[in-house]
């Protein structure tokens, strides 16, 4: 049997390579599809069993009441996004224990109403309102400069402000809105508060409110969701994964400064933000979601618990250490890119170390 002519041989080779490449791509796409499906399924089951009100009730059987009865008179606490939901419950919980609370809110009118209610309900008049748009690095820098002039130590910084916007919106500074609030705003606020947190060492703490949604996403360098079809829920989960990885990084680079860094998940709570951003989810789980106070419980616990009993850099849920990755979700290796992300945030925010 004769050989194929050189041109025909080349065509056959090219066809073979093309088929192998298409097969490889198809297998890769199928693998990614199955992996995403598994993450969503595992998250849904794990969440329903643990993140709802019934999960809180079950876990609370192990709680020690004395762990959240500590008084913290004289301690200065900053809570972002404090006018409603979990942020309000956190600010109120800290104020009721005697803290000087600084509520950082975007809207002055809603902030003043929340401030007045907390002062009235707790009897603590040392509750202050700071107006700041946490989607704006410039605004955060202005707030930090003004607050620093008070020259007071910051004992507790609670990065609670968060956003889930379904549409692609770009801020006046050119950033995708979810990223601007959840990631860049959190980064800028924390970095700019570090000198004041150091003044409160060795008992300074930074508590970042993440979300169980991060279980569905690995860490990615695509911080502003460059894909053509924008998915706000996916972007939110990516943002929340970044917050957990940032907490690890901050714990590492500030380990000798007397500041503890903790990320946490409040569970699925019935907040105004959830009702607005995820109405179908909120409706489907009506009556099964946690209260704002139950969502804030672990934040208060982290703020009050003896620091030597906490581990900086860890992720907490319902007053206990929690896994950062679900089994077989293939997200753990992704945290290797946090150094590059940290450098990117430093560059985007123009905040020098």
């Amino acid at each position: 049997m004769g050989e194929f002519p050189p041109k025909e041989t080349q065509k056959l080779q090219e066809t073979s390579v093309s088929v192998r490449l298409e097969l490889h791509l198809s297998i890769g796409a199928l693998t990614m599809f199955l992996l995403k499906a598994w993450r969503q399924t595992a998250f849904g089951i794990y969440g329903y069993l643990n993140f709802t009100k019934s999960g809180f009730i079950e876990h609370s059987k192990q709680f020690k009441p004395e762990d959240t009865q500590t008084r913290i008179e004289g301690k200065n606490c900053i809570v972002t996004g404090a006018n409603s939901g979990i942020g309000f419950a956190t600010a109120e919980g800290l104020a009721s224990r005697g803290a000087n609370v600084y509520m950082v809110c975007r809207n002055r009118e809603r902030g003043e109403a929340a401030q007045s209610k907390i002062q009235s309900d707790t009897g603590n008049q040392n509750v202050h309102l700071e107006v700041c748009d946490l989607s704006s690095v410039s605004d955060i820098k202005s707030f930090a400069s003004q607050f620093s002039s008070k020259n007071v130590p910051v004992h507790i910084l609670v990065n609670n402000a968060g956003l889930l916007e379904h549409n692609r919106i770009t801020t006046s500074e050119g950033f995708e809105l979810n990223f601007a609030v959840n990631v860049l705003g959190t980064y800028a606020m924390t970095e700019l508060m570090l000198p004041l947190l150091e003044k409160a060492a060795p008992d300074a703490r930074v508590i970042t409110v993440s979300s169980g949604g991060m279980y569905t996403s690995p860490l990615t360098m695509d911080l502003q969701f460059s894909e053509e079809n924008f998915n706000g829920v996916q972007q939110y989960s990516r943002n929340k994964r970044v917050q957990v990885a940032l907490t690890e990084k901050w714990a590492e680079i500030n380990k000798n400064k007397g500041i503890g860094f903790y990320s946490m998940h409040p569970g699925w709570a019935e907040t105004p933000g959830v009702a607005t951003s995820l109405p179908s989810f909120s409706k489907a789980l009506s009556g099964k979601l946690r209260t704002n106070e139950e969502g804030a419980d672990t934040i208060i616990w982290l703020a009050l618990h003896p620091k030597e009993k906490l581990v900086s850099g860890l992720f907490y849920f319902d007053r206990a250490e929690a896994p950062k990755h679900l089994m077989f979700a293939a997200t753990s290796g992704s945290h290797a890119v946090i150094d590059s992300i940290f450098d990117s945030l430093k560059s985007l925010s123009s905040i020098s170390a």
Side-chain angles (χ1 to χ4, degrees):
M1 191 172 183
E3 295 182 356
F4 287 110
K7 285 186 177 180
E8 293 300 321
T9 300
Q10 184 178 357
K11 286 181 180 179
L12 283 170
Q13 290 173 337
E14 290 175 351
T15 300
S16 177
V17 169
S18 177
V19 169
R20 289 201 302 271
L21 181 59
E22 289 179 8
L23 181 61
H24 177 73
L25 291 174
S26 296
I27 292 173
L30 177 61
T31 301
M32 184 54 66
F33 172 80
L34 292 174
L35 185 55
K36 286 183 177 179
W38 164 251
R39 287 173 184 157
Q40 292 288 348
T41 302
F43 168 64
I45 296 171
Y46 183 68
Y48 191 79
L49 294 174
N50 293 279
F51 302 161
T52 54
K53 177 182 282 289
S54 61
F56 180 84
I57 292 171
E58 183 61 31
H59 299 157
S60 67
K61 294 174 182 177
Q62 306 300 319
F63 294 176
K64 297 178 181 178
E66 61 270 21
D67 284 351
T68 52
Q69 291 174 353
T70 305
R71 300 289 300 175
I72 49 174
E73 275 91 355
K75 288 195 175 182
N76 301 309
C77 307
I78 295 176
V79 182
T80 67
N83 64 278
S84 67
I86 291 170
F88 177 88
T90 298
E92 186 174 51
L94 294 171
S96 70
R97 290 164 176 83
N100 301 322
V101 178
Y102 296 87
M103 304 169 61
V104 181
C105 305
R106 180 175 59 86
N107 183 285
R108 180 176 294 278
E109 186 178 352
R110 289 198 292 267
E112 287 176 345
Q115 174 193 20
S116 177
K117 180 166 176 52
I118 291 174
Q119 289 175 332
S120 175
D121 289 352
T122 65
N124 184 348
Q125 298 305 302
N126 293 317
V127 179
H128 312 279
L129 175 63
E130 304 287 342
V131 179
C132 177
D133 181 357
L134 289 159
S135 72
S136 166
V137 174
S138 176
D139 230 36
I140 294 170
K141 286 180 177 179
S142 294
F143 160 76
S145 176
Q146 293 168 11
F147 194 87
S148 295
S149 68
K150 302 179 193 292
N151 198 32
V152 298
V154 173
H155 298 86
I156 299 164
L157 168 62
V158 180
N159 289 314
N160 165 76
L163 176 77
L164 197 172
E165 170 56 55
H166 290 279
N167 300 309
R168 186 189 297 277
I169 295 176
T170 303
T171 69
S172 60
E173 295 174 344
F175 303 117
E176 188 279 314
L177 182 58
N178 290 285
F179 162 78
V181 175
N182 301 330
V183 176
L184 195 59
T186 295
Y187 171 84
M189 179 64 74
T190 303
E191 287 290 320
L192 292 170
M193 287 295 108
L194 284 176
L196 298 183
L197 285 158
E198 285 189 65
K199 287 179 178 288
D203 196 31
R205 309 168 192 222
V206 176
I207 303 164
T208 298
V209 182
S210 182
S211 166
M214 65 97 189
Y215 282 124
T216 65
S217 293
L219 199 60
T220 172
M221 285 294 296
D222 185 14
L223 297 174
Q224 300 193 64
F225 210 97
S226 63
E227 298 167 39
E228 185 176 349
N229 295 320
F230 185 77
N231 184 321
V233 174
Q234 188 176 353
Q235 173 67 337
Y236 178 81
S237 68
R238 289 179 178 182
N239 292 169
K240 293 300 174 176
R241 170 63 69 186
V242 176
Q243 290 180 335
V244 172
L246 273 177
T247 298
E248 292 178 343
K249 183 64 179 176
W250 278 320
E252 175 193 329
I253 63 181
N254 296 287
K255 60 185 177 182
N256 296 318
K257 294 183 179 179
I259 308 171
F261 295 85
Y262 318 101
S263 57
M264 62 77 65
H265 172 36
W268 293 343
E270 197 166 2
T271 67
V274 169
T276 301
S277 301
L278 298 168
S280 297
F281 172 83
S282 182
K283 186 177 180 180
L285 290 177
S286 178
K288 295 182 174 65
L289 298 177
R290 299 179 177 206
T291 65
N292 294 320
E293 290 72 25
E294 289 167 347
D297 179 82
T298 294
I299 304 173
I300 301 297
W301 179 81
L302 284 167
L304 304 179
H305 205 55
K307 202 173 168 203
E308 62 273 13
K309 295 183 180 180
L310 300 173
V311 180
S312 189
L314 289 196
F315 183 60
Y316 287 85
F317 171 64
D318 282 350
R319 303 193 190 186
E321 298 174 18
K324 296 175 182 176
H325 309 275
L326 294 181
M327 195 176 297
F328 307 124
T331 58
S332 58
S334 67
H335 280 214
V337 300
I338 187 56
D339 287 350
S340 297
I341 288 175
F342 201 84
D343 290 341
S344 293
L345 296 176
K346 179 180 176 182
S347 175
L348 291 171
S349 63
S350 300
I351 295 174
S352 56

